[in-house]
Amino acid sequence: MSSPSENAFDLGQFLPYLLNQAAEATSLGFQPVYRSTHGLSRTEWRIIANLGKFGALTAAGICKASHIDKTKVSRAVAQMEARGLLSRAPDISDGRAERLALTDGGRAVFTEIGAQAMSYDRALRDRLGGDATRALVKALAVLSERREG
Amino acid sequence: MSSPSENAFDLGQFLPYLLNQAAEATSLGFQPVYRSTHGLSRTEWRIIANLGKFGALTAAGICKASHIDKTKVSRAVAQMEARGLLSRAPDISDGRAERLALTDGGRAVFTEIGAQAMSYDRALRDRLGGDATRALVKALAVLSERREG
DNA sequence: TAAGATTGAGTACTCAATCTTG
DNA sequence: CAAGATTGAGTACTCAATCTTA
């Protein structure tokens, strides 16, 4: 009765925990690429990835696309502008917003890290195999749906 | 040629990013249970879950079991002791270590949050279905394997 | 008044250094 | 000197408040 009960909660079978472990393991495995080589934080790398994909965005657009907090984006963008990775221009249609875009240097970083990211991703998918990868991606999409609350 | 290329990196198909999105969505969904109701951080809740499962551990044991950083554990444990959730006792066999265990109050918290966690987990698995859940858990285990490096 | 964006204050995290015991 | 555990300093995050324009 007082021994480890099969009715007791086991963190090791809790999906949010298992998801976090896999997310951290795979994120840490890729971290050296943007961190050691380019001195970027994960937030900065994600902003570069979004600007590289969409071409130009406002800060709010980056927030929506990446689910990064607006204060993180604001501070990261300021530093990335100072480092010459992106440029800011007033938004023609909305005086409150600013149009953010990668500079040539930022695009070069995107191209280089992006290539390594695709290679890293392929390696992960190879480890899983095609069927398991498809099943995983589908499950993650279901779990990522934002519920009202 | 300069339009969004199909050869360019897409964060939305990058497994570490997708894993992070799902991990955050599911973690945030459960957060109110330990945070609002008991004023616990995720680290504190994880420590309770580990002590609840294993009965008693040293700080290093918690680190190994949960992959939480040792300084996080040290500071969380100090605060949890002050709040009466766990107790410390000198380890008989090793004068450097301390044996950590839940108090009656800590066990009550574990029982209550644990029950809600199992319910939350069941709901997630129901959303996925049995086959998808099994495939997901297996894939997460593969991706969580710590690689040398 | 709301939305885009920034700032300030408090908290928490990260990394190295430290203390104690094996 | 290595291992368990804690502490300090610097950085980053979180949440509320603020500023400007729609």
Side-chain angles (χ1 to χ4, degrees), chain B residues 75-107:
Chain B
R75 286 172 167 126
V77 161
Q79 194 167 337
M80 292 164 77
E81 186 193 20
R83 291 182 53 186
L85 292 168
L86 60 78
S87 63
R88 324 163 83 131
D91 188 308
I92 294 263
S93 59
D94 188 336
R96 298 168 301 184
E98 280 190 309
R99 184 189 137 94
L100 306 171
L102 293 178
T103 61
D104 289 347
R107 252 188 305 278

Side-chain angles (χ1 to χ4, degrees), chain A residues 19 22 38 45 55 62 75 102 106 111 115 142:
Chain A
L19 287 159
H38 291 90
W45 152 236
I62 292 176
R75 287 175 166 124
L102 293 178
T111 301
V142 171

Side-chain angles (χ1 to χ4, degrees), chain B residues 11-43:
Chain B
L11 193 61
Q13 296 177 227
F14 189 46
L15 282 182
Y17 178 76
L18 298 178
L19 287 160
N20 260 299
Q21 293 299 117
E24 277 201 21
T26 56
S27 290
L28 287 177
F30 185 64
Q31 183 174 289
V33 174
Y34 54 80
R35 183 167 176 160
S36 308
T37 315
H38 292 91
L40 296 171
S41 68
R42 194 193 302 183
T43 296

Side-chain angles (χ1 to χ4, degrees), chain A residues 11 17 21 24 28, chain B residues 43-44 46-51 54 56-77 80 86 88 97-98 100 146:
Chain A
L11 193 61
Y17 177 75
Q21 294 299 116
E24 277 202 21
L28 287 177
Chain B
T43 296
E44 290 169 331
R46 283 186 178 177
I47 290 173
I48 289 178
N50 276 286
L51 291 177
F54 295 110
L57 291 169
T58 63
I62 293 177
C63 293
K64 250 175 247 167
S66 63
H67 301 117
I68 307 175
D69 183 78
K70 63 179 180 177
T71 63
K72 273 200 216 176
V73 170
S74 177
R75 286 172 167 126
V77 161
M80 292 164 77
L86 60 78
R88 324 163 83 131
E98 280 190 309
L100 306 171
R146 307 267 157 176

